[in-house]
Amino acid sequence: MNFFLETIQVLLLSIWYNVESFIHLFVPRRKKNVAGEVVLITGAGSGIGRLMAQEFAALGTVLVLWDINQEGMKETAQLAKQSGASRVHYYLCDCSDKNEVYRVADQVKREVGDVSILVNNAGIVTGKKFMDAPDSLIEKTMEVNTMAHFWTYKAFLPAMIANNHGHLVSIASSAGLIGVNGLAGVCFLLLIT
């Protein structure tokens, strides 16, 4: 396609999507019903993971929580039950360890069933300047913030494809868009992924 036609196409699509967005200000989209879905949230022991667990609980889902913080997961499980989750399961899992991810994923499949919504939320923020961060911490950040997504997708995506049903959600930081002091490892990882 030549430059002129591509420019016209971009302009028309921009107009279409802006009009569509404007219409949805007054006529909201129908929300998806997730009641009864099995939702697995990594990094559920605190922060965004805990908040997502509470939100999904209020929608009547079956929750599966993963974290390396056992106490944090227990608290999240209690809060999720209070928020209305039909069932809550929690597992200690270090998402940086591929073998542990596969082992715990098999346990989840046996004890809970197929996961239909996978939320990859686990992440490490070093808070150190790049040159001050030890190599082991940079490696761990890469393993949790990037590689863990591949391991969890490989563990749960086949069942989603077989069932022709499922969602993969990846939580990332806006730190990948700009440089942030003390977050060099996170900024760099998000730029390369």
Side-chain angles (χ1 to χ4, degrees):
M1 208 185 269
N2 68 33
F3 177 75
F4 178 73
L5 289 177
E6 287 178 1
T7 303
I8 296 297
Q9 181 183 19
V10 167
L11 288 173
L12 290 175
L13 285 172
S14 295
I15 292 169
W16 170 257
Y17 290 127
N18 279 301
V19 168
E20 184 181 47
S21 294
F22 181 74
I23 290 170
H24 287 302
L25 285 173
F26 304 104
V27 181
R29 292 181 174 105
R30 196 182 93 207
K31 292 187 177 185
K32 182 176 182 85
N33 182 5
V34 294
E37 299 280 352
V38 177
V39 179
L40 188 150
I41 303 171
T42 66
S46 63
I48 294 171
R50 176 173 287 173
L51 294 173
M52 283 190 295
Q54 289 177 280
E55 290 295 321
F56 275 115
L59 298 172
T61 62
V62 175
L63 284 175
V64 178
L65 311 175
W66 281 14
D67 205 294
I68 58 171
N69 176 356
Q70 185 79 26
E71 289 304 311
M73 272 193 304
K74 284 181 184 177
E75 289 177 33
T76 301
Q78 280 300 107
L79 292 168
K81 287 176 185 171
Q82 293 169 3
S83 297
S86 57
R87 293 183 316 184
V88 180
H89 306 266
Y90 57 92
Y91 300 86
L92 199 62
C93 184
D94 179 358
C95 292
S96 69
D97 182 345
K98 171 179 58 176
N99 295 323
E100 187 170 341
V101 168
Y102 292 152
R103 182 186 58 74
V104 178
D106 287 340
Q107 186 179 355
V108 167
K109 291 174 200 173
R110 280 192 316 274
E111 295 176 4
V112 183
D114 289 336
V115 170
S116 53
I117 301 175
L118 170 61
V119 181
N120 272 310
N121 170 68
I124 294 176
V125 178
T126 64
K128 296 179 183 268
K129 293 185 179 180
F130 181 71
M131 295 305 292
D132 296 336
D135 292 349
S136 60
L137 184 58
I138 293 170
E139 288 172 347
K140 190 74 161 179
T141 301
M142 185 69 163
E143 290 166 355
V144 174
N145 294 10
T146 303
M147 298 309 296
H149 292 244
F150 294 107
W151 313 146
T152 56
Y153 291 163
K154 285 186 75 174
F156 296 108
L157 187 58
M160 292 181 189
I161 292 170
N163 295 330
N164 196 28
H165 178 76
H167 300 278
L168 301 174
V169 181
S170 178
I171 305 299
S173 170
S174 61
L177 302 173
I178 58 171
V180 180
N181 189 29
L183 298 181
V186 174
C187 295
F188 178 72
L189 286 174
L190 291 170
L191 288 173
I192 62 170
T193 56

